[in-house]
């Protein structure tokens, strides 16, 4: 019973912290969308990205697994006529996009390289997680 009295408040604080983080992420994404300009872009390349994931094993050591994903490289033209290219912050395997695919892009007019593809996962994955 004493252990339960210790664990419940800890998990409650963790839950409140995660809820606050989700609210913060949601607010940031909404502000980004409100302040951004929407335009069309084209996927010009797919960049292979790597991440290493460590997992503990039964013996106490850890195993490392290489994960590969593909991030789209998107090119678009701003309202002022500048051509901008950016690599999406999200990757997937298999790739979500193909070279030559037309995509909608949100970009910050003050900093066009801070652009995002208008897709549910790109915009909202952080909030959902």
């Amino acid at each position: 019973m004493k252990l339960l009295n210790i664990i419940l408040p800890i998990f409650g604080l963790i839950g409140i912290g995660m809820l606050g983080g989700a609210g913060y992420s949601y607010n940031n994404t909404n502000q980004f969308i409100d302040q951004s300009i929407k335009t069309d872009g084209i996927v010009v390349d797919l960049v292979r990205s790597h991440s290493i994931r460590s997992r503990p094993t039964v013996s106490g050591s850890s195993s490392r697994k290489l994960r590969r994903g593909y991030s789209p490289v998107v090119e678009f033209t701003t309202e002022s006529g500048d051509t901008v290219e950016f690599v999406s912050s999200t990757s997937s395997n298999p790739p979500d996009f193909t070279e030559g695919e037309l995509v909608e892009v949100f970009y910050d007019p003050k900093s066009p390289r801070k652009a995002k593809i208008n897709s549910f996962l790109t915009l909202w994955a952080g909030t959902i997680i």
Side-chain angles (χ1 to χ4, degrees):
M1 192 64 160
K2 286 184 180 183
L3 183 61
L4 191 59
N5 289 337
I6 295 171
I7 292 175
L8 284 177
I10 291 172
F11 279 109
L13 289 173
I14 291 170
I16 290 169
M18 292 179 76
L19 187 60
Y24 180 78
S25 176
Y26 175 81
N27 189 41
N28 278 348
T29 300
N30 268 338
Q31 283 183 346
F32 175 76
I33 291 170
D34 289 343
Q35 296 170 357
S36 295
I37 296 173
K38 190 193 295 190
T39 189
D40 289 328
I42 189 162
V43 177
V44 294
D45 197 6
L46 294 171
V47 178
R48 181 180 261 183
S49 60
H50 304 280
S51 65
I52 296 174
R53 178 184 234 173
S54 294
R55 291 186 180 172
T57 62
V58 176
S59 65
S61 62
S62 63
S63 69
R64 299 176 94 174
K65 183 177 180 181
L66 183 64
R67 293 180 50 184
R68 293 189 176 109
Y70 297 90
S71 299
V73 179
V74 179
E75 185 177 281
F76 66 94
T77 304
T78 65
E79 285 185 334
S80 61
D82 297 326
T83 300
V84 177
E85 190 175 281
F86 73 97
V87 179
S88 177
S89 60
T90 57
S91 63
S92 62
N93 191 8
D96 287 336
F97 302 96
T98 57
E99 276 187 56
E101 185 175 348
L102 201 61
V103 293
E104 278 189 332
V105 174
F106 285 112
Y107 73 92
D108 181 348
K110 296 175 188 168
S111 184
R113 294 190 57 76
K114 292 182 181 177
K116 294 184 179 189
I117 296 173
N118 183 13
S119 74
F120 183 78
L121 283 179
T122 301
L123 295 172
W124 302 108
T127 302
I128 291 170
I129 291 170

